[in-house]
Each structure stands twice: as structure tokens, then as C-alpha cells.
């Protein structure tokens, strides 16, 4: 099922069958009918969902009357046995009065950490904190992949010095490309973060200040 509903009940994340106040709606690669279902249920624009599913969409924040849309770039590991490519794709976060929605073309590792209850102090109804926790996890994955890229680059460089093979040069170029993806995406994410700090559409709570600083 491409639309899933979750809610923190008695400090435990539960899966729901349908919408409830204070829930988190996680949408992954929805089909046309599912998009229509969500648009009707939540009273949001069709374009809001579609833009979060557009792989070319850039990071941004849009404040509408009844919702705020945040789009950030999230890092993806596309490596396999023959290749070492890391890219980024958009992840949409829609903040509503009574719920929080995440939209993506793929089930990301970041959101899996929330669905499998690996994130401390996570409550679906603490929406500002939830957004900051997603952004923080996102930043952590960038750092994790950058460390992997760094390690791999060092290994390949050593191999190149000793053997000079084409495959390794290709791999090195792919890693370079990965860094450009990350660099561009992180700059765009930073702009969005600064707007989140400034906007009144997203409530700020004193408790979240440390987390916000960590994310920045």
C-alpha cells in the first residue's frame, strides 16, 4: 500500500487504517487514484503532491492558506557491484493543521528510521519537531555517505597509482559526480532551512532550539 497512516498512541507508533487527527501520512510512489484520494481527503492542491514526486524539483518552501510544503533533497545510494553512484531525490513534507504528510518517489532510509521506531523522542503530533528530526536524519545520511565516498576515493586512488585501470577511473568520476549532486543539494537545503527559521507558518518551540541548531 502506497499510503500509510501512523500515529503515536501512548508513546508508541501505531499503524492506522485511515486518517486521524495528529497522524503522519507517509506516501510512497502513489498512483493517480491515490493522489486524488489524498487531495480530496486533505483539501490540498494536486500540484502540491505532484511537485514532491517530480525528480527535477528543487528544494523550496511554499506557504499556502491551509498547508506549508517543504521540499528537500535527500541522498540516495545507487551503488551496486559495478558502480559507485550516489544521487539525490526530492522528499516532500506537507505541514497541515492536523497532520503531517511525507511524499517521495521511493521508500527512503530516512523515513524507515521513523517507521521502525529508531528515532528517539518522536511523536507524530509534535509536527515542528518531526520536521526538524527528518531534516536532522537527512543531514546525518549526507555525512554518512560522504564518509563512504571519501573512504572509497582514497582506496581507488591507491589502486590507480599501482595499476591505472579504466574501471577505477570511471568509478572515481562517478564519485566526483556524487559529490556535485550532494554539494548542489545541500546548498539548496540550507536555503530552505533558513526560510524555515524565518517563517511564522511553522511554529517554533523552545524545546526544539538545540535540534534546529544541530540541523543547521
Amino acid at each position: 500500500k502506497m499510503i500509510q497512516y501512523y500515529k503515536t498512541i501512548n508513546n508508541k507508533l501505531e499503524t492506522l487504517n485511515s486518517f486521524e487527527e495528529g497522524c503522519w501520512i507517509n506516501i510512497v510512489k502513489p498512483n493517480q487514484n491515490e493522489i486524488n484520494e489524498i487531495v480530496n481527503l486533505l483539501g490540498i492542491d494536486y500540484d502540491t503532491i505532484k511537485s514532491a514526486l517530480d525528480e527535477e524539483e528543487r528544494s523550496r518552501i511554499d506557504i499556502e492558506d491551509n498547508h506549508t510544503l517543504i521540499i528537500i533533497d535527500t541522498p540516495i545510494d545507487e551503488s551496486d557491484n559495478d558502480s559507485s553512484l550516489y544521487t539525490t531525490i526530492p522528499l516532500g513534507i506537507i505541514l497541515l493543521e492536523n497532520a503531517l504528510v511525507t511524499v517521495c518517489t521511493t521508500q527512503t532510509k530516512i523515513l524507515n528510521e521513523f517507521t521502525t521506531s529508531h528515532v528517539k523522542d518522536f511523536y507524530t503530533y509534535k509536527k515542528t519537531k518531526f520536521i526538524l528530526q527528518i531534516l536532522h536524519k537527512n543531514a546525518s545520511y549526507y555525512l554518512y555517505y560522504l564518509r563512504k565516498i571519501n573512504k572509497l576515493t582514497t582506496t581507488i586512488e591507491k589502486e590507480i597509482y599501482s595499476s591505472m585501470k579504466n574501471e577505477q577511473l570511471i568509478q572515481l568520476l562517478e564519485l566526483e559526480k556524487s559529490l556535485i549532486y550532494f554539494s548542489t543539494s545541500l546548498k539548496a537545503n540550507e536555503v530552505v532551512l533558513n526560510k524555515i527559521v524565518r517563517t511564522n507558518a511553522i511554529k517554533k518551540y523552545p524545546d526544539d532550539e538545540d535540534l534546529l541548531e544541530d540541523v543547521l
Side-chain angles (χ1 to χ4, degrees), residues 160-172:
I160 284 176
Y161 285 127
S162 61
S163 67
M164 204 59 192
K165 285 191 186 138
N166 278 346
E167 300 93 76
Q168 278 138 358
L169 274 175
I170 289 163
Q171 221 179 350
L172 208 55

Side-chain angles (χ1 to χ4, degrees), residues 54-185:
D54 178 357
E55 303 232 333
E56 300 304 310
E57 197 63 55
R58 58 189 171 76
S59 295
R60 60 189 169 90
I61 177 167
D62 278 347
I63 298 156
E64 303 293 337
D65 290 341
N66 64 344
H67 69 274
T68 298
L69 168 68
I70 301 162
I71 294 179
I72 54 161
D73 283 322
T74 188
I76 297 289
D77 181 354
E78 292 193 342
S79 304
D80 56 31
N81 295 335
D82 307 314
S83 156
S84 309
L85 187 62
Y86 297 83
T87 58
T88 62
I89 58 165
L91 167 65
I93 304 166
I94 304 165
L95 173 65
L96 298 147
E97 190 58 47
N98 54 3
L100 192 112
V101 184
T102 49
V103 189
C104 198
T105 51
T106 178
Q107 184 61 48
T108 62
K109 287 186 174 180
I110 290 157
L111 295 179
N112 281 348
E113 300 226 8
F114 291 90
T115 57
T116 54
S117 303
H118 280 132
V119 180
K120 280 209 309 266
D121 296 329
F122 158 55
Y123 308 94
T124 55
Y125 49 82
K126 289 192 176 178
K127 298 190 293 292
T128 299
K129 187 174 192 178
F130 186 10
I131 291 169
L132 290 175
Q133 285 170 317
I134 291 172
L135 294 171
H136 193 253
K137 270 280 161 237
N138 200 44
S140 305
Y141 269 98
Y142 273 107
L143 290 173
Y144 170 65
Y145 290 144
L146 283 164
R147 278 197 295 272
K148 281 179 80 169
I149 290 171
N150 202 14
K151 229 169 156 175
L152 208 51
T153 305
T154 310
T155 309
I156 293 167
E157 280 172 347
K158 279 182 187 154
E159 286 174 11
I160 284 176
Y161 285 127
S162 61
S163 67
M164 204 59 192
K165 285 191 186 138
N166 278 346
E167 300 93 76
Q168 278 138 358
L169 274 175
I170 289 163
Q171 221 179 350
L172 208 55
L173 289 170
E174 283 179 335
L175 290 170
E176 282 289 319
K177 201 154 82 178
S178 305
L179 289 174
I180 293 164
Y181 276 126
F182 279 16
S183 170
T184 314
S185 294

